Amino acid sequence: MTVPDPAPSRRPADSSPAVGSLTAGEIAQMVGGVLHGDAAVAVRAVAPLERAQSDELSFLASARYGGAFAHTAAGVVLVSPELAGASGAVPARIVVDRPHDAVLTVLPLLYPAPARIPGIHPTAVLGRGVNLGGDVTVGAYAVLGDGVTLGDRAWVGEHCVVGAGVSLGADARLFPGVVAYAGTVVGQRASIHSGVRLGSDGFGYVYRDGHHAKIPHVGRCLIGDDVEIGANTTIDRGSVDDTVIGAGTKIDNLVQIGHNCRVGRLSLIMAQVGLAGSARVGDGCVIAGQAGLGGHITVGDGARIAGQSGVFGDVPAGETWSGYPARPHRASLRATAALLKLSSMMRDLERLVKDRS
Amino acid sequence: MTVPDPAPSRRPADSSPAVGSLTAGEIAQMVGGVLHGDAAVAVRAVAPLERAQSDELSFLASARYGGAFAHTAAGVVLVSPELAGASGAVPARIVVDRPHDAVLTVLPLLYPAPARIPGIHPTAVLGRGVNLGGDVTVGAYAVLGDGVTLGDRAWVGEHCVVGAGVSLGADARLFPGVVAYAGTVVGQRASIHSGVRLGSDGFGYVYRDGHHAKIPHVGRCLIGDDVEIGANTTIDRGSVDDTVIGAGTKIDNLVQIGHNCRVGRLSLIMAQVGLAGSARVGDGCVIAGQAGLGGHITVGDGARIAGQSGVFGDVPAGETWSGYPARPHRASLRATAALLKLSSMMRDLERLVKDRS
Amino acid sequence: MTVPDPAPSRRPADSSPAVGSLTAGEIAQMVGGVLHGDAAVAVRAVAPLERAQSDELSFLASARYGGAFAHTAAGVVLVSPELAGASGAVPARIVVDRPHDAVLTVLPLLYPAPARIPGIHPTAVLGRGVNLGGDVTVGAYAVLGDGVTLGDRAWVGEHCVVGAGVSLGADARLFPGVVAYAGTVVGQRASIHSGVRLGSDGFGYVYRDGHHAKIPHVGRCLIGDDVEIGANTTIDRGSVDDTVIGAGTKIDNLVQIGHNCRVGRLSLIMAQVGLAGSARVGDGCVIAGQAGLGGHITVGDGARIAGQSGVFGDVPAGETWSGYPARPHRASLRATAALLKLSSMMRDLERLVKDRS
């Protein structure tokens, strides 16, 4: 397989600028590792072994990448203890228990988050009675409706449209192009990516007099503190009750959350998942990609739902479910295995049935 | 399960402003109910029993919520006949056959739709030959291409981009951030939510000379009267023929409708459904969430497709289908039940086959 | 089934303007067909048989549409050899081997792509150090961050937000409302439709100290030459490594591509497909609608994945897989067939098992 690589070297200038620089000695100390080699080698960025340059940091956590390690041009490499002796000529190797975790420790120093510049862009349109906290940022062409409230250091990106009365907590961030309908409340430090729609009307109609009459939606869309929501995800407002996303929950791209849903704290909801109206998801749950939850069902605390599952009934706390329709994961696996065996036994079974009759 | 509730009281100021106020006596008359208690109690909003305040209306339609009713602070509660005698001390209870329907009757009065203010925002960019009906609204930063036509009272939200020659019917509304490509026609009273893309090119290529050559798309994207389309849904234009959504059909969020599809009147298409190119859906159909329809298949009038179904063949009118691949719902249920039984019979069946051979 | 047709005649003015006009004689020569009838008949547009007007071109490639041919008002019709003698009174019929291919040859002449007008709209906001190639177009309200590079003739549509340091190749086009985060590189002639989000953060967290700590995303989002990406699709940037879409690959609407994914050249990815993080797709693959690929799996060159498949393991080059969990297509079909048979045999099998015990 040819996986093209249009641009072999990843330079900091192309992504978040890496303004920092760290020496091998500083990194070893920071991650609690043992340094072998030149403590003075300095790195300015992180890159995979096969593309790292002499001023870049890389990592080796699996024997599978031993070949890449042997030929890497990286200046410094974090290496797991069992691979400490891997052959290669990097100027500095740092042996550390979990190289991936160590990279995470170093990343924020080499790639500090881009500075937020407080201020209201002159092209922003602000409604009447807008209530701005200290040091907020409002980007170009953003539109804030009447009575919008921004907490301290809140950041409304370019081209966002924030409906009347919407409130953003301190340090909340809307990336460019978010729309928050009236009735939306966003918690502190929440991070809402481009194209997210918060508080749009739910899908509710009553068939009468030959047409689908719309149920007015007057509930709110409440996004808790420290929630992150991925690009182009949609979260409807409640009809009479509210739609609620609990604090610390993380939601991926292109997820649909229907009206009146309640998602607990610290749950993870992966890409393209759909929650039908009034579904409830507990705390600490994991719902994997493309899974669907039916209306009014409940997924208990700590439950895990496999990718593409179709959940049409309640899932008890702590259990792992999968399949269509979803059942406990072991039952799903058994059913799948049985079905595969069945294919090869079918002829024999048909004969048995025929013999008997 | 802890379902967090960042903001226990839902005040009108937070969502659509409730400018109206109704007394218990007025509500009883309006919904044809029987009032028990103080006819003069006034309410300004609707809320669930557990969060309602003394100036709010709530409802009790299931014995399951009897406890919440006993402790509610609501001023007025709509109660179904069988729960008429539920214990509780609300100032006014109104006994009515279907409390949910009664709430729908009251909602528009307590939450009148936000007033639309006619006018063209000074930041809107209008192309040459734009044809504006009476009393239209064009929001901040909207861009109308050359030759766009807006019917009377049409409402183009902030940040919409309306392509050259696009036509919007009277009273049609584009919420903020909609893009309508050239070739789009939107009917009267249609309501298009944020982030919808109408008339984008369909996915059509011919492989020739070592690359995928694009098929030009010159068909239109025709959205009928009274259609509602949910946030971030995409509806491609036709290639040579048109893509058509029939009058009164309602489409949820994140739905994909491919080129040349035809959807009839008064159908309901729920979130994350996908229709491949040239699929046809009749009148009065219901396609539940995350279902997928293959290209060129036909779903007959009044048919219903269960959530996550994969429809690879025609579905006769009036039938309910489910599963992957989709079949008549009873056959799907039987297959699922058989598969579950099979798991537990597998060992026995294997012995039977072995004995015979 | 009533498929409504709000506007029976498709006039060029409603879609892309058809500025050209061709005679039957010119068309016959152009497509290498044999003309029967009046060589001077001129057409200005293409339409299906049942709606074509006297100045429009249509086509007949299947006996199924013989009735429509008999009654069409089209001025010129492309007809396949086996239907050359179909009864009808069109002024000019052109017999040609593949009428559909012939239409593709004629379309670009009747519907030339709308002219791109070079220039920077006065409302566009340009950051410091923006690097503009020759003859670029930047639409109304577009925002270009610091250090953005546009190749010659690049076209940034209205309302696009292009992050700091992003680079667009020559002749690349962003349709209105695209957001490209910092770290995005778009190749030459790439075409990115409305609402696409490129380079948003991937879904990566480490649970520590009672919350999901975000993994910084510093990799890039690299879109190759000649790639087309459909409306509202999301492609995350890499975490440390990059996310890469190979040259000539075409991606449909509402697709999700997670961090660190690598898609090869000339592949086709249809609507609502999801690729979890670090998935790899080879060259010349076809992934049909709503399929999902698990994290870190590899789909080999030329492999085909059926619609709605759930791919949880590697797929060898050249194979066709389907189902949930996905397996080779034949095995899936056998399993489906076995399951259907099982439903009707279940009672007999249960008796057999009972008899034996």
Side-chain angles (χ1 to χ4, degrees):
Chain A
M1 187 175 66
T2 318
V3 173
D5 189 350
S9 89
R10 202 194 48 63
R11 306 301 309 164
D14 295 331
S15 65
S16 306
V19 300
S21 171
L22 293 169
T23 65
E26 288 167 337
I27 295 171
Q29 191 171 12
M30 191 181 302
V31 303
V34 178
L35 173 69
H36 301 267
D38 182 357
V41 182
V43 294
R44 297 172 45 240
V46 181
L49 286 169
E50 71 274 23
R51 289 188 290 119
Q53 307 292 304
S54 62
D55 61 349
E56 293 182 321
L57 171 72
S58 196
F59 49 94
L60 174 65
S62 154
R64 192 177 158 193
Y65 296 103
F69 180 73
H71 299 99
T72 187
V76 184
V77 179
L78 296 155
V79 181
S80 57
E82 65 278 14
L83 299 167
S87 62
V90 291
R93 65 176 79 185
I94 297 168
V95 180
V96 63
D97 276 352
R98 283 193 292 268
H100 282 113
D101 277 20
V103 169
L104 291 188
T105 304
V106 177
L107 272 174
L109 292 155
L110 290 178
Y111 300 85
R116 186 181 59 79
I117 300 163
I120 313 289
H121 195 277
T123 60
V125 173
L126 273 61
R128 286 163 301 163
V130 165
N131 187 359
L132 302 180
D135 281 333
V136 301
T137 299
V138 179
Y141 300 122
V143 177
L144 308 187
D146 295 345
V148 164
T149 297
L150 301 188
D152 294 342
R153 298 169 303 281
W155 185 351
V156 176
E158 295 85 351
H159 284 272
C160 289
V161 179
V162 182
V166 168
S167 160
L168 261 66
D171 300 296
R173 178 173 187 184
L174 307 185
F175 281 81
V178 169
V179 173
Y181 283 60
T184 301
V185 177
V186 176
Q188 299 185 18
R189 297 171 301 280
S191 184
I192 315 294
H193 282 274
S194 284
V196 168
R197 314 301 169 190
L198 299 176
S200 43
D201 287 352
F203 196 70
Y205 304 91
V206 174
Y207 192 75
R208 54 160 73 139
D209 306 332
H211 69 283
H212 297 293
K214 184 178 173 69
I215 297 176
H217 276 69
V218 302
R220 293 174 304 176
C221 175
L222 305 175
I223 308 298
D225 295 341
D226 301 299
V227 168
E228 183 160 12
I229 303 179
N232 284 352
T233 281
T234 56
I235 304 184
D236 288 335
R237 71 190 303 172
S239 49
V240 163
D241 207 341
D242 298 324
T243 304
V244 182
I245 308 297
T249 282
K250 311 295 182 183
I251 298 175
D252 202 350
N253 298 348
L254 291 169
V255 169
Q256 152 69 2
I257 297 191
H259 55 182
N260 309 323
C261 283
R262 298 218 162 191
V263 176
R265 298 169 189 271
L266 297 171
S267 288
L268 299 175
I269 299 182
M270 299 183 189
Q272 296 176 318
V273 162
L275 271 61
S278 301
R280 293 189 164 226
V281 172
D283 299 342
C285 295
V286 178
I287 319 275
Q290 296 186 332
L293 273 58
H296 297 272
I297 66 121
T298 295
V299 172
D301 290 346
R304 305 169 78 90
I305 307 294
Q308 286 196 332
S309 300
V311 184
F312 297 101
D314 291 352
V315 176
E319 297 198 356
T320 298
W321 282 38
S322 65
Y324 171 83
R327 343 169 217 211
H329 189 49
R330 288 190 172 208
S332 276
L333 289 178
R334 252 200 328 264
T336 298
L339 183 55
L340 276 179
K341 267 190 200 162
L342 180 71
S343 303
S344 55
M345 289 167 61
M346 210 62 208
R347 190 165 303 180
D348 290 319
L349 290 177
E350 286 177 301
R351 270 190 213 131
L352 277 174
V353 168
K354 200 180 160 198
D355 290 353
R356 187 182 178 277
S357 56
Chain B
M1 186 173 67
T2 318
V3 173
D5 189 348
S9 90
R10 201 193 48 65
R11 306 300 309 163
D14 295 330
S15 66
S16 307
V19 299
S21 171
L22 293 169
T23 64
E26 288 168 338
I27 295 170
Q29 192 172 12
M30 190 181 300
V31 303
V34 177
L35 172 69
H36 302 267
D38 183 356
V41 182
V43 293
R44 296 171 46 238
V46 181
L49 286 168
E50 70 275 22
R51 291 186 291 119
Q53 307 292 304
S54 62
D55 60 350
E56 292 182 323
L57 171 72
S58 196
F59 49 94
L60 175 66
S62 154
R64 192 177 158 193
Y65 296 103
F69 179 73
H71 299 100
T72 187
V76 184
V77 179
L78 296 155
V79 182
S80 57
E82 64 279 14
L83 300 166
S87 62
V90 290
R93 66 175 77 182
I94 296 167
V95 180
V96 64
D97 277 352
R98 282 193 292 269
H100 282 113
D101 277 18
V103 169
L104 290 188
T105 303
V106 177
L107 272 174
L109 293 155
L110 290 177
Y111 300 85
R116 186 180 61 78
I117 300 165
I120 313 289
H121 195 277
T123 61
V125 173
L126 273 61
R128 287 163 300 164
V130 165
N131 186 358
L132 303 179
D135 280 334
V136 302
T137 300
V138 179
Y141 300 123
V143 176
L144 308 187
D146 295 346
V148 164
T149 297
L150 302 187
D152 294 341
R153 299 170 304 280
W155 185 352
V156 176
E158 295 85 351
H159 285 272
C160 289
V161 179
V162 182
V166 169
S167 159
L168 261 64
D171 300 296
R173 178 174 186 184
L174 307 184
F175 281 82
V178 169
V179 173
Y181 283 60
T184 301
V185 177
V186 176
Q188 299 186 17
R189 296 171 302 280
S191 185
I192 316 294
H193 283 274
S194 286
V196 168
R197 314 301 169 190
L198 299 177
S200 43
D201 286 352
F203 195 70
Y205 304 91
V206 174
Y207 191 77
R208 55 159 74 138
D209 306 331
H211 70 283
H212 297 294
K214 183 179 174 68
I215 297 177
H217 276 68
V218 302
R220 294 174 304 175
C221 175
L222 305 176
I223 308 298
D225 295 342
D226 301 299
V227 168
E228 184 160 10
I229 303 178
N232 284 352
T233 281
T234 56
I235 304 184
D236 287 336
R237 71 189 304 171
S239 48
V240 164
D241 206 340
D242 298 323
T243 304
V244 182
I245 309 296
T249 282
K250 310 296 183 182
I251 298 175
D252 203 350
N253 298 348
L254 291 169
V255 169
Q256 153 69 3
I257 296 189
H259 54 183
N260 309 325
C261 283
R262 298 218 160 191
V263 177
R265 298 169 187 271
L266 296 172
S267 287
L268 299 175
I269 298 182
M270 299 184 188
Q272 296 175 319
V273 162
L275 271 61
S278 301
R280 294 190 163 225
V281 172
D283 298 341
C285 295
V286 179
I287 320 274
Q290 296 186 332
L293 272 57
H296 297 271
I297 67 122
T298 294
V299 173
D301 291 346
R304 305 170 76 90
I305 308 294
Q308 286 195 332
S309 301
V311 184
F312 297 101
D314 290 351
V315 176
E319 297 198 359
T320 298
W321 282 39
S322 64
Y324 171 84
R327 329 164 230 216
H329 189 48
R330 287 190 174 209
S332 276
L333 290 178
R334 252 199 329 264
T336 299
L339 183 55
L340 277 178
K341 267 190 202 162
L342 180 72
S343 303
S344 55
M345 288 167 61
M346 210 62 209
R347 190 166 301 177
D348 290 320
L349 289 177
E350 287 178 299
R351 271 191 211 129
L352 277 174
V353 168
K354 200 180 161 198
D355 290 353
R356 186 180 178 278
S357 56
Chain C
M1 186 174 68
T2 318
V3 173
D5 190 349
S9 90
R10 202 193 48 64
R11 305 300 310 164
D14 295 329
S15 65
S16 307
V19 298
S21 172
L22 293 169
T23 65
E26 289 168 337
I27 295 171
Q29 191 171 14
M30 189 182 300
V31 303
V34 178
L35 172 70
H36 300 267
D38 183 357
V41 181
V43 294
R44 295 171 47 239
V46 181
L49 286 169
E50 71 274 23
R51 290 188 290 118
Q53 306 294 305
S54 62
D55 60 350
E56 292 181 322
L57 172 71
S58 196
F59 48 95
L60 174 66
S62 154
R64 192 178 158 192
Y65 296 104
F69 179 73
H71 298 99
T72 188
V76 184
V77 179
L78 297 154
V79 181
S80 57
E82 65 276 16
L83 300 166
S87 61
V90 291
R93 65 177 76 185
I94 297 167
V95 179
V96 64
D97 276 352
R98 282 192 292 268
H100 282 113
D101 277 19
V103 169
L104 291 188
T105 303
V106 177
L107 272 174
L109 292 157
L110 290 178
Y111 300 85
R116 186 181 60 79
I117 300 164
I120 313 289
H121 196 276
T123 61
V125 173
L126 273 63
R128 287 164 300 165
V130 165
N131 187 359
L132 302 181
D135 280 333
V136 302
T137 299
V138 179
Y141 301 123
V143 177
L144 308 188
D146 295 345
V148 163
T149 297
L150 302 188
D152 293 342
R153 298 169 305 279
W155 184 351
V156 176
E158 296 85 351
H159 285 273
C160 290
V161 180
V162 182
V166 168
S167 160
L168 261 64
D171 300 296
R173 178 173 187 184
L174 306 185
F175 281 81
V178 169
V179 173
Y181 283 61
T184 301
V185 176
V186 176
Q188 298 185 18
R189 296 171 302 278
S191 185
I192 315 294
H193 282 274
S194 285
V196 168
R197 314 303 169 189
L198 298 177
S200 44
D201 288 352
F203 196 70
Y205 303 92
V206 174
Y207 192 76
R208 54 159 73 139
D209 307 332
H211 70 282
H212 297 293
K214 183 178 173 69
I215 297 177
H217 276 68
V218 302
R220 294 174 303 175
C221 175
L222 304 176
I223 308 299
D225 294 341
D226 301 299
V227 169
E228 183 159 12
I229 303 179
N232 284 351
T233 280
T234 57
I235 304 184
D236 287 337
R237 71 191 302 171
S239 48
V240 164
D241 206 339
D242 298 324
T243 303
V244 181
I245 308 297
T249 282
K250 310 295 183 183
I251 299 175
D252 201 351
N253 298 348
L254 291 169
V255 169
Q256 152 70 3
I257 295 191
H259 54 184
N260 310 325
C261 283
R262 298 218 161 191
V263 176
R265 297 169 188 270
L266 296 172
S267 287
L268 299 175
I269 299 182
M270 299 185 188
Q272 296 177 319
V273 162
L275 271 61
S278 301
R280 292 189 166 226
V281 172
D283 298 342
C285 295
V286 179
I287 320 275
Q290 296 188 332
L293 272 58
H296 297 271
I297 66 121
T298 294
V299 172
D301 289 346
R304 305 170 77 90
I305 308 294
Q308 286 197 332
S309 301
V311 185
F312 297 101
D314 290 353
V315 176
E319 297 197 358
T320 298
W321 282 39
S322 65
Y324 172 84
R327 336 167 223 212
H329 189 49
R330 286 188 173 212
S332 276
L333 289 178
R334 253 201 325 265
T336 299
L339 183 55
L340 276 178
K341 268 190 200 162
L342 179 72
S343 303
S344 54
M345 290 167 60
M346 209 63 208
R347 191 166 301 178
D348 291 320
L349 290 177
E350 286 177 300
R351 270 191 213 130
L352 278 174
V353 168
K354 201 180 159 199
D355 289 354
R356 185 180 178 279
S357 58

